[in-house]
Amino acid sequence: MIRIAHISDLHFGRDDATLIDPLQDALNKAEPDVIAVSGDLTQRARAGQFRAARAFLDRLPAPWICVPGNHDIPLYNLPMRLLRPYAGYRRTICRELSPSFQREKLLVQGLNTAWPFSWQRGHLRKRHLTRACKRFKGFDGARIVMAHHPFQQAQGTKKQLMPGAEEALHNLAACGTDVILTGHLHAWRAEPFVARTGGSILQVHVGTGLSTRLRGQDNDFAILDIAGRYCTLTRMVASVKGDFAKDIETRFTLNSR
């Protein structure tokens, strides 16, 4: 069995400090093989916020893979935003913006969807999708994509969907993607994608792990246990006791396997 912990939208600089240790403790108890961090580590891409985020990452109990979110690009410093948008992230978190993590029977491919010319909406780079598909086609195991921005949203979502998201889903399904991990909306959603993918990719969209900017939901993260064609997904939610406790557990079949 493979275990992945998925956290997102930590927003250091707008974080609930009382949840940092409980989140660390919950991740320690989960004993994941890898921790996927799907962006927005900071609130305003400031040096001190990146340092706080890196200190958190350095305390994680397992290898981690991370991609930037739109909040990890400067908003008000226009010269930096336009000329060196990822400088702080590269310097403090990771030089690679679309990293990958591979071990036996598991391949996680990160996609950088943060885009300095569109603050909220995000952007898909075709060369990154092509690279992910090339790697997936030759891999015998769980094939996971991680990005900050979602590839599909519920009706009524105020934030705009990335351009080209539906076409990207079709291509990722064709090359055998099993799961897509995303964040950005501060809302939980876990179900197979619909439309042209034929429901063959499981979407796991977690809320915010630490931020005080809640969208009517509690702070949470996800644990994915993958064994063959099956994925058991557990939502862990911040409780009134100040810890993270199991909320719901659902079993999915990974149709592309």
Side-chain angles (χ1 to χ4, degrees):
M1 185 185 74
I2 298 164
R3 172 164 284 189
I4 305 166
H6 175 207
I7 62 178
S8 192
D9 294 81
L10 303 176
H11 287 282
F12 280 95
R14 186 71 185 273
D15 57 289
D16 183 344
T18 66
L19 291 178
I20 295 175
D21 286 343
L23 180 56
Q24 292 277 355
D25 291 343
L27 292 168
N28 271 303
K29 291 176 182 177
E31 298 182 337
D33 297 295
V34 64
I35 299 173
V37 189
S38 56
D40 274 4
L41 285 84
T42 68
Q43 178 64 17
R44 285 290 175 254
R46 292 172 181 152
Q49 295 170 6
F50 277 123
R51 287 194 296 269
R54 182 57 196 244
F56 176 88
L57 295 175
D58 286 342
R59 291 174 54 203
L60 292 179
W64 51 268
I65 176 173
C66 185
V67 293
N70 56 293
H71 278 265
D72 299 320
I73 294 174
L75 176 61
Y76 301 115
N77 187 338
L78 291 181
M80 286 293 292
R81 179 179 171 185
L82 297 177
L83 300 176
R84 300 181 63 204
Y86 309 107
Y89 181 92
R90 286 183 185 272
R91 181 169 54 248
T92 312
I93 306 300
C94 182
R95 293 198 60 80
E96 177 59 57
L97 301 178
S98 295
S100 62
F101 174 89
Q102 184 173 342
R103 53 160 291 179
E104 186 178 1
K105 298 298 181 181
L106 174 65
L107 175 55
V108 182
Q109 179 61 56
L111 300 179
N112 174 26
T113 58
W115 186 242
F117 304 104
S118 179
W119 169 243
Q120 290 279 4
R121 198 173 186 187
H123 178 74
L124 283 164
R125 287 106 167 143
K126 290 185 178 180
R127 68 182 185 278
H128 294 172
L129 291 170
T130 299
R131 182 173 63 183
C133 280
K134 284 183 178 179
R135 298 197 67 190
F136 285 172
K137 285 182 177 179
F139 185 74
D140 180 22
R143 292 154 292 203
I144 315 293
V145 163
M146 178 181 66
H148 179 63
H149 294 81
F151 287 69
Q152 195 174 83
Q153 298 177 170
Q155 290 186 350
T157 302
K158 293 181 180 180
K159 294 181 179 179
Q160 291 184 307
L161 190 65
M162 288 185 296
E166 184 178 349
E167 181 181 357
L169 280 176
H170 178 70
N171 293 335
L172 289 171
C175 65
T177 303
D178 293 302
V179 183
I180 297 180
L181 308 174
T182 57
H184 185 54
L185 299 180
H186 294 205
W188 172 269
R189 189 181 186 191
E191 60 190 15
F193 285 101
V194 295
R196 289 197 293 167
T197 68
S200 62
I201 304 179
L202 172 64
Q203 65 171 319
V204 179
H205 185 90
V206 297
T208 169
L210 295 176
S211 177
T212 59
R213 300 180 69 197
L214 301 174
R215 300 288 188 265
Q217 296 191 18
D218 295 316
N219 297 89
D220 69 8
F221 73 95
I223 298 173
L224 295 84
D225 291 315
I226 299 175
R229 294 185 61 222
Y230 301 100
C231 175
T232 300
L233 177 65
T234 304
R235 185 189 185 206
M236 302 292 292
V237 173
S239 73
V240 293
K241 297 179 181 179
D243 61 358
F244 281 82
K246 182 188 294 186
D247 178 40
I248 55 174
E249 182 176 287
T250 312
R251 194 183 195 205
F252 296 93
T253 300
L254 303 178
N255 296 329
S256 65
R257 301 298 303 279

